[in-house]
Amino acid sequence: MAWRSSAASNRGLIENLAKNGLIKGQPESAKPFSKVDRAHYAPSTPYDDSPQPIGHHATISAPHMHANAVEALLPFILPSDARPAPRVLDVGSGSGYLTHVMAELVGDQGGVVVGVEHIAALKELGEGNVRRSEEGRRFLEAGRVRFRVGDGRKGWVEPGEEAMKWDAIHVGAAAVEVHAEMLEQLNAPGRMFIPVDDDTSQLGQHIFWVDKDKDGKVTRTKQYGVRYVPLTDAPKGK
Ligand code: SAH
């Protein structure tokens, strides 16, 4: 499934992802991908279905991984009567691509996506990339998408919004565990999409869905093997 979706244009890439069954929840999940040009985020071959380096040992994840993450989190990102203003946290926002795509989905009734990066230069990169489109600029001005510098292993609490939890948490780098603070900040109900390096099994990294139901009961479901850059301490001086 990994590399078949490459194309010569953003539209072709999204069409191929849909054709290959990687974007299933049409039209809701395909629409935001078509609205965000990956060329604003990937420095080279933006329409290849592969990860690309973006500096500072970070990579923009492959389109099929972004598609898969959105599919997984979609029920918690889309506004509904019960959740008119979804709140989404993107840990390790890197290029800002997925942060922007998710901001397309949260609606305009107060939905928010916050990207957290531990490298200030990458926080600036992500924010600058979002600024490259008119819609991105509008989202930034409205506070619908926000970029912050911090250690995402602690999750993130927005100043002035301390009581508010996250309906969906996307983690874009591999964690050694499901960090307690992140889990505490997940709403009930809510879902976290997180690559975890499962050392104990020696089987390497896997995507986990960590679901909290309305009563706060947590269920972890192991999905499939992946290779993400690790969630680490910030390099010194960054
Ligand atoms: N979703 C991003 C992925 C970028 S790669 C994209 O597709 O562009 C993973 C990112 O996680 C890197 O940018 C890295 O700097 C960041 N990261 C690693 N450890 C972190 C931490 N402890 N807190 C916040 N960000 C972290």
Side-chain angles (χ1 to χ4, degrees), residues 58-61 66 92-95 117-118 122 150-152 172-173 229-232:
T59 55
I60 175 172
S61 300
H66 284 144
S93 50
S95 67
E117 248 303 325
H118 68 163
L122 286 175
D151 182 353
V229 302
L231 200 60
T232 59

Side-chain angles (χ1 to χ4, degrees), residues 162-229:
E162 286 80 3
M164 301 178 84
K165 304 222 169 188
W166 304 108
D167 299 299
I169 300 180
H170 172 263
V171 184
V176 290
E177 57 178 319
V178 177
H179 294 281
E181 279 161 289
M182 279 187 203
L183 190 56
E184 157 59 29
Q185 291 167 19
L186 186 66
N187 209 355
R191 176 172 291 166
M192 188 190 310
F193 177 100
I194 180 169
V196 181
D197 206 338
D198 190 356
D199 260 355
T200 49
S201 67
Q202 303 289 310
L203 291 173
Q205 297 173 13
H206 288 82
I207 294 293
F208 282 78
W209 292 8
V210 182
D211 279 306
K212 210 187 252 186
D213 74 9
K214 63 177 180 12
D215 303 315
K217 185 168 167 279
V218 174
T219 315
R220 297 168 195 221
T221 327
K222 191 173 184 172
Q223 301 292 327
Y224 48 86
V226 283
R227 273 182 74 111
Y228 277 62
V229 302

Side-chain angles (χ1 to χ4, degrees), residues 13 29 58 62 81 98 101 103 117 121 125 145 150 153 158 180 189 218 221:
L13 172 65
S29 48
D81 289 346
L98 192 64
V101 166
E117 248 303 325
L125 177 81
V145 64
R153 290 172 295 191
E158 273 289 269
V218 174
T221 327

